[in-house]
């Protein structure tokens, strides 16, 4: 069986895997953005307890591997709490907490990178704290954050492959299943790699267009 | 009529006391220039007036209202105190027009057409009628600062604070900004100007404050301060400034 024949034969499985990879990525990243925003606001809060919660959260996420986080949620937590959870749910929780932790640092960095003079100018005009935050600081922080956020999206899309160990038939898992039947490791991993590459490449192209659109330079 | 009343103003940053007891009244319509060596507390003094810095102790009243960062009405009180910064601080994501209209629209609930009409008038006044749709990054330093002045004036403040407005400008652009400020002074605006432009202070100020070491070391009319300085510190400062220019 030649390369293209193998490819054609495997395509239905690849597409199924790809679909799950994209679903995992999309749902996790959407939730991660919300977690990131809330966590970053907590990190910059004047309430010491909120800052402590944020610091602890980020430290745990950064300090432990995603694989361990996934196992802990899917097997550890469900066992102790006596709850049942699908592998997909556990994967989404692990990925969104993980990406959310990194996003919160990205957002905090972006907001803190806005020149304090901007806040002073807005406040001196009489704008309230929240008007200053939403009209002046956030629009500038978003522009600063875009490259790092896109970077995190790429990382998380690829991290879904780690979550395949929970038994999710996403793209990487599909690859190993096809190999189990065909013993064509070399070609199949190239195909899997190319499929990830295409998704990420399209995303970065899109991001570059957006970035150029909103750029101030 | 007294516009600003400052009593025993102290400000410390950590252990370091920057302002060590300042008393000062500013009359409505008065133009006060503040001079002094760098690090003397001039800018801190100015920033306390609209509460960008909260005083450590002492009081500042504008039109009899206490300026306090934690006051419920601090946003409204600031609306009446315009400020122009050394680094312009234009909002880079907004056009020149939006820079000027954002505060009137958000704070004074002015409708957009009215706010824009006012903004166009102000831009004409500062000589930038054709720059309404420009983005701040495309402007020169002098143009940015004139937009910043227009932005502050859009709130129709009763008091304008200028924090070294020409210090970040290339020399050839200093004049255009000072001209706008002179016009404002002639029109009767109450102004407090921290500046190194001794010529401007001499020509435009009603009163000059010399701040040194966190206190008003000497004050008087421009003729008194520049023509007949009394203290050795002021004499030394003026000598150093004149030699530099």
């Amino acid at each position: 069986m030649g390369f293209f024949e193998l490819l054609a034969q495997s395509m239905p499985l690849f597409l199924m895997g790809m679909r799950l990879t994209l679903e995992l990525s999309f749902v996790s990243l959407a939730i991660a953005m919300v977690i990131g925003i809330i966590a970053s606001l907590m990190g910059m809060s004047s309430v010491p307890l909120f800052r402590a919660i944020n610091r602890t959260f980020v430290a745990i996420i950064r300090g432990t591997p995603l694989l361990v986080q996934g196992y802990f949620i899917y097997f550890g937590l469900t066992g102790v709490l006596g709850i049942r959870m699908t592998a997909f749910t556990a994967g989404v929780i692990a990925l969104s907490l993980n990406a959310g932790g990194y996003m919160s640092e990205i957002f905090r960095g972006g907001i803190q990178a806005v020149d304090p003079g901007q806040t002073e100018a807005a406040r001196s005009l009489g704008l309230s704290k929240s008007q200053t935050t939403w009209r002046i600081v956030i629009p500038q922080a978003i522009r600063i954050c875009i490259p790092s956020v896109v970077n995190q999206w790429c990382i998380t899309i690829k991290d879904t492959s780690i979550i395949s160990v929970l038994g999710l038939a996403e793209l990487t898992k599909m690859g190993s299943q096809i190999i189990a039947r065909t013993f064509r490791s070399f070609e199949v991993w190239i195909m899997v790699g190319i499929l990830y590459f295409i998704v990420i490449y399209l995303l970065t192209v899109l991001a570059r267009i957006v970035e150029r659109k909103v750029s101030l330079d | 009529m007294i516009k600003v009343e400052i009593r025993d103003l102290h400000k410390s940053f950590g252990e370091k006391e920057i302002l060590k007891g300042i008393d000062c009244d500013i009359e409505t319509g008065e133009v006060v220039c503040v001079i002094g060596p760098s690090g003397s507390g001039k800018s801190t003094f100015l920033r306390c007036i609209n509460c960008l810095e909260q005083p450590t102790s002492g009081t500042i009243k504008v039109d009899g209202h206490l300026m306090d960062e934690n006051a419920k009405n601090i946003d409204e009180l600031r609306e009446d105190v315009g400020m122009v910064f050394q680094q312009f601080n234009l909002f880079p994501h907004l056009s020149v027009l939006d820079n000027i209209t954002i505060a009137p629209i958000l704070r004074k609930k002015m409708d957009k057409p009215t706010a824009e009409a006012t903004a166009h008038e102000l831009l004409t006044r500062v000589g930038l009628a054709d720059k309404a749709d420009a983005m701040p990054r495309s402007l020169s330093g002098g143009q940015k600062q004139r937009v910043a002045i227009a932005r502050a004036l859009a709130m129709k403040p009763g008091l304008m604070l200028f924090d070294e407005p020409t210090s970040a400008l290339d020399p050839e652009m200093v004049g255009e900004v000072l001209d706008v400020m002179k016009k404002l002074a002639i029109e009767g605006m109450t102004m407090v100007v921290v500046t190194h432009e001794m010529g401007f202070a001499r020509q435009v100020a009603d009163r000059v404050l010399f701040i040194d070491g966190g206190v008003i070391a000497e004050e008087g009319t421009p003729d008194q301060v520049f023509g007949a300085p009394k203290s050795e510190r002021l004499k030394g400062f003026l000598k150093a400034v004149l030699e530099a220019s």
Side-chain angles (χ1 to χ4, degrees):
Chain A
M1 192 160 47
F3 184 88
F4 291 102
E5 205 179 330
L6 179 67
L7 181 65
Q9 218 179 60
S10 313
M11 204 31 104
L13 286 177
F14 277 145
L15 288 180
M16 274 168 62
M18 175 61 85
R19 190 177 150 185
L20 190 59
T21 292
L22 291 179
E23 279 173 6
L24 260 179
S25 305
F26 189 80
V27 177
S28 302
L29 283 172
I31 299 172
M33 294 291 277
V34 177
I35 292 176
I37 289 168
I38 294 170
S40 68
L41 292 176
M42 286 175 87
M44 291 176 291
S45 162
S46 51
V47 183
L49 176 68
F50 287 169
R51 288 203 305 273
I53 291 173
N54 172 269
R55 270 204 305 276
T56 313
F57 169 61
V58 172
I60 291 172
I61 292 299
R62 269 190 191 154
T64 58
L66 174 61
L67 186 57
V68 174
Q69 294 163 10
Y71 278 145
F72 176 75
I73 289 165
Y74 191 42
F75 301 113
L77 264 189
T78 49
V80 167
L81 298 177
I83 48 173
R84 280 211 257 169
M85 195 185 277
T86 62
F88 186 83
T89 309
V92 165
I93 294 174
L95 283 168
S96 53
L97 283 176
N98 186 276
Y102 288 107
M103 297 263 206
S104 94
E105 285 298 279
I106 294 171
F107 295 149
R108 192 172 63 90
I111 287 172
Q112 286 173 348
V114 175
D115 176 8
Q118 292 289 306
T119 301
E120 291 184 352
R123 297 309 301 277
S124 79
L125 287 166
L127 266 61
S128 68
K129 266 189 188 155
S130 72
Q131 286 170 334
T132 302
T133 302
W134 293 105
R135 299 303 192 111
I136 305 300
V137 177
I138 301 273
Q140 295 181 55
I142 288 174
R143 289 173 169 86
I144 297 170
C145 286
I146 287 175
S148 309
V149 168
V150 172
N151 205 30
Q152 183 60 47
W153 285 354
C154 296
I155 291 171
T156 299
I157 290 172
K158 290 182 291 184
D159 278 355
T160 57
S161 67
I162 294 176
I163 289 303
S164 70
V165 297
L166 302 185
L168 284 166
E170 45 64 76
L171 187 54
T172 302
K173 187 73 145 202
M174 283 300 188
S176 35
Q177 281 176 6
I178 293 166
I179 291 166
R181 281 192 292 111
T182 61
F183 303 103
R184 302 286 288 272
S185 229
F186 181 78
E187 293 92 335
V188 170
W189 288 130
I190 286 181
M191 292 173 197
V192 170
I194 288 172
L195 287 170
Y196 278 111
F197 185 89
I198 291 171
V199 172
I200 306 264
Y201 184 76
L202 290 177
L203 178 68
T204 50
V205 167
L206 195 73
R208 219 171 298 148
I209 293 170
V210 172
E211 209 180 318
R212 210 172 308 143
K213 268 242 160 73
V214 301
S215 165
L216 297 172
D217 302 312
Chain B
M1 221 171 74
I2 291 175
K3 181 77 185 169
V4 187
E5 185 189 304
I6 298 162
R7 290 289 173 272
D8 198 28
L9 173 66
H10 289 258
K11 175 67 187 178
S12 304
F13 293 99
E15 293 290 290
K16 202 167 178 328
E17 190 173 40
I18 301 295
L19 298 180
K20 300 173 179 168
I22 288 187
D23 289 271
C24 176
D25 285 342
I26 295 162
E27 302 274 335
T28 300
E30 199 177 12
V31 177
V32 175
C33 282
V34 183
I35 62 170
S38 58
S40 59
K42 314 181 292 287
S43 283
T44 306
F45 165 71
L46 194 74
R47 291 158 59 84
C48 281
I49 296 178
N50 69 346
C51 233
L52 281 184
E53 305 289 355
Q54 174 83 339
T56 308
S57 68
T59 58
I60 294 167
K61 288 180 180 170
V62 175
D63 289 327
H65 301 289
L66 184 68
M67 299 299 285
D68 178 352
E69 193 177 56
N70 301 311
K72 268 210 188 78
N73 59 345
I74 185 67
D75 298 336
E76 281 93 81
L77 295 179
R78 282 198 180 115
E79 289 176 18
D80 189 49
V81 184
M83 185 154 191
V84 174
F85 299 83
Q86 183 178 349
Q87 298 297 337
F88 329 126
N89 295 348
L90 291 183
F91 306 131
H93 60 301
L94 301 178
S95 70
V96 164
L97 196 67
D98 290 340
N99 262 277
I100 300 172
T101 58
I102 185 169
I105 289 173
L106 288 179
R107 301 302 306 177
K108 297 213 186 275
K109 305 295 169 209
M110 204 180 268
D111 61 81
K112 210 171 172 207
T114 315
E116 287 184 351
T118 314
H120 283 293
E121 269 169 44
L122 285 166
L123 281 173
T124 308
R125 258 172 79 184
V126 299
L128 293 170
D130 56 334
K131 294 290 184 189
D133 297 321
M135 293 303 279
R137 65 174 178 278
S138 69
L139 303 180
S140 71
Q143 291 171 331
K144 280 182 189 159
Q145 197 59 300
R146 285 185 280 154
V147 172
I149 294 172
R151 178 176 70 176
L153 291 175
M155 290 303 279
K156 303 204 180 349
L159 168 67
M160 283 284 284
L161 309 176
F162 293 85
D163 189 3
E164 303 196 23
T166 58
S167 297
L169 297 178
D170 292 336
E172 74 270 22
M173 291 171 185
V174 170
E176 63 192 68
V177 172
L178 291 182
D179 284 344
V180 169
M181 292 168 62
K182 271 179 214 164
K183 261 199 279 175
L184 259 185
I186 292 165
E187 288 163 14
M189 175 64 76
T190 312
M191 292 164 62
V192 184
V193 186
V194 172
T195 187
H196 293 293
E197 297 294 330
M198 297 303 152
F200 175 82
R202 189 154 206 169
Q203 193 188 344
V204 180
D206 297 309
R207 183 155 50 117
V208 177
L209 307 181
F210 171 60
I211 292 188
D212 189 22
V215 295
I216 298 179
E218 194 164 338
E219 66 176 299
T221 63
D223 285 344
Q224 288 168 338
V225 168
F226 295 113
K230 290 192 280 277
S231 66
E232 287 309 311
R233 281 148 90 188
L234 177 54
K235 283 179 196 165
F237 172 72
L238 290 174
K239 189 159 170 274
V241 170
L242 289 177
E243 273 168 11
S245 60

